[in-house]
């Protein structure tokens, strides 16, 4: 019987056997991870520490928000009673208004200051390092020390630092921390001074990534300082500005140190903030505070900030990526 060669013309040699595709076995998640099991072994201590000191307290706080407990007596499960107690507290809405007022002032006055300072420092040719060190110096000062220092500045007497300086031009004296109308702007001023340095360094690092040829092309076209700022600098910093904005909102919503150390919520609860109210729930009673109400308000604040952050990133996703 004659076999028929079905190979195309011009093809000689030994006929190759058909190859059978070898399907690799299903790989598990450990094998699919880059680095495999050794990477997870090195990550395990960090994950353990992070879980114990971060997620475990969060989970404990969630449980406590549904309990009546002062960490002394046995906890009693009360369901949503703590949340009802928090919403029924008239000081809650005072704290919400004060926190919102602080956040608005911090955004209007405190948010642009680091950006302006970074742009001015970036234009400095010879003393940029010195200016950067001076801008970051307040971050190095311990917060309690900074507050005690500013308490001297805010002395309501004529010998106070600010009142003395303003007295040279015929203004004052002002009761900075005792006047209900100016106490919150006074706290915002100190908080801006204390926290702006870190943001300035971030902006300076971002400005170094802007292509200098863009400014050169703009100068050739006759663009001035403001046009270069608006059409080149700000668009190049857009992603950083979006991140620092949401961090500013989260930080101001959790302001505690300044109201606690400067005024303890006074005068007349004009500086009572949400975190200070949480502190009062938990620690004002020497025999053990109402930790269930404190945990409930903490959980509510966390949920609001999480929802706001998710909505913010969703609304700015296309703009930040363009």
């Amino acid at each position: 019987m004659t076999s028929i060669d079905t190979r195309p013309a011009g093809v000689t040699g030994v006929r190759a056997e058909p190859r059978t595709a070898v399907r690799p076995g299903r790989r598990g998640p450990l094998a699919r991870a880059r680095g495999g099991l050794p990477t997870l072994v090195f990550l395990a201590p960090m994950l353990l520490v992070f879980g114990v000191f971060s997620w475990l307290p969060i989970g404990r706080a969630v449980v406590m928000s549904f309990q009546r407990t002062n960490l002394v007596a046995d906890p009693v499960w009360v369901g949503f009673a703590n949340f009802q107690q928090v919403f029924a507290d008239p000081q809650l809405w005072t704290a919400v208004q004060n926190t919102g007022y602080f956040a608005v002032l911090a955004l209007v006055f405190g948010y642009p200051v680091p950006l302006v300072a970074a742009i001015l420092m970036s234009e400095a040719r010879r003393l940029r390092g010195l200016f950067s060190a001076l801008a970051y110096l307040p971050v190095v000062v311990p917060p309690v020390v900074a507050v005690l220092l500013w308490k001297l500045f805010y002395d309501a007497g004529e010998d106070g630092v600010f009142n003395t300086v303003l007295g040279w031009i015929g203004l004052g004296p002002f009761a900075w921390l005792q006047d209900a109308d100016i106490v919150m702007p006074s706290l915002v001023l100190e908080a801006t001074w204390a926290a702006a340095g870190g943001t300035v360094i971030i902006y300076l690092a971002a400005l170094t990534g802007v292509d200098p040829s863009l400014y050169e092309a703009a100068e050739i076209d006759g663009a001035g300082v403001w046009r270069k700022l608006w059409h080149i600098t700000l668009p190049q910093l857009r992603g950083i500005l979006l991140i620092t904005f949401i961090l500013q909102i989260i930080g101001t919503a959790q302001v505690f140190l300044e109201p606690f150390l400067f005024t303890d919520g006074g005068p007349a609860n004009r500086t009572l903030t949400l975190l200070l109210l949480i502190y009062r729930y938990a620690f004002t009673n020497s025999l053990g505070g109402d930790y269930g109400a404190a945990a409930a308000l903490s959980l509510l604040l966390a949920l609001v900030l999480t929802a706001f952050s998710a909505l913010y990133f969703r609304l700015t996703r296309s703009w930040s990526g363009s």
Side-chain angles (χ1 to χ4, degrees):
M1 185 175 187
T2 305
S3 61
I4 301 176
D5 190 358
T6 58
R7 291 177 295 174
V11 178
T12 58
V14 180
R15 184 167 56 188
E17 296 293 333
R19 294 182 178 180
T20 303
V22 179
R23 301 180 63 181
R26 188 179 298 273
R27 304 176 66 188
L30 294 179
R32 289 197 299 266
R34 179 175 296 182
L37 186 59
T39 302
L40 294 180
V41 171
F42 281 105
L43 286 177
M46 182 191 68
L47 296 176
L48 178 62
V49 172
F50 184 78
V52 170
F53 292 99
S54 294
W55 289 107
L56 186 60
I58 292 175
R60 179 69 180 124
V62 173
V63 174
M64 287 175 57
S65 65
F66 297 97
Q67 294 176 336
R68 183 77 65 190
T69 177
N70 59 2
L71 300 184
V72 178
D74 294 334
V76 178
W77 190 267
V78 294
F80 290 95
N82 289 326
F83 296 92
Q84 295 173 355
Q85 174 187 343
V86 168
F87 281 116
D89 188 353
Q91 289 190 341
L92 172 65
W93 309 113
T94 301
V96 170
Q97 293 175 2
N98 293 336
T99 304
Y101 183 38
F102 185 94
V104 170
L105 289 178
L107 286 176
V108 173
F109 298 105
Y111 184 69
V113 168
L115 178 62
V116 174
I119 293 175
L120 293 177
M121 291 179 192
S122 65
E123 296 297 326
R125 302 298 180 184
R126 302 176 58 182
L127 300 176
R128 184 182 304 177
L130 176 61
F131 293 149
S132 301
L134 292 177
Y136 195 73
L137 182 60
V139 182
V140 181
V141 177
V144 176
V145 175
V147 170
L148 294 177
L149 178 65
W150 276 72
K151 271 192 172 182
L152 296 177
F153 296 164
Y154 283 143
D155 189 345
E158 294 182 357
D159 296 333
V161 176
F162 288 160
N163 284 336
T164 300
V165 174
L166 294 176
W168 296 341
I169 56 177
L171 298 178
F174 297 100
W176 301 96
L177 302 178
Q178 293 77 31
D179 190 338
D181 294 328
I182 63 174
V183 60
M184 191 64 81
S186 301
L187 300 189
V188 171
L189 178 61
E190 189 277 336
T192 301
W193 171 86
T199 310
V200 168
I201 299 301
I202 294 175
Y203 287 148
L204 283 174
L207 286 170
T208 58
V210 180
D211 189 356
S213 62
L214 297 176
Y215 294 109
E216 296 174 359
E219 291 178 357
I220 295 175
D221 292 338
V225 175
W226 292 109
R227 290 185 62 186
K228 290 190 292 184
L229 175 64
W230 185 257
H231 295 287
I232 299 177
T233 304
L234 293 182
Q236 292 294 316
L237 298 181
R238 182 165 49 192
I240 298 295
L241 289 173
L242 292 175
I243 295 298
T244 54
F245 180 83
I246 190 63
L247 292 178
Q248 176 96 357
I249 294 293
I250 294 174
T252 53
Q254 301 181 63
V255 60
F256 170 77
L257 183 68
E258 287 77 13
F260 177 66
L261 294 180
F262 273 118
T263 62
D264 195 23
N269 286 333
R270 294 297 293 268
T271 57
L272 176 64
T273 59
L274 287 172
L275 255 67
L276 187 55
L277 182 58
I278 293 172
Y279 173 85
R280 289 183 177 181
Y281 282 155
F283 300 109
T284 52
N285 190 342
S286 60
L287 297 178
D290 192 351
Y291 292 98
L297 183 53
S298 302
L299 183 60
L300 290 173
L301 179 60
L303 292 176
V304 170
L305 292 177
T306 301
F308 175 80
S309 302
L311 178 62
Y312 174 79
F313 282 116
R314 182 175 181 86
L315 294 178
T316 59
R317 180 173 52 187
S318 60
W319 187 49
S320 61
S322 59

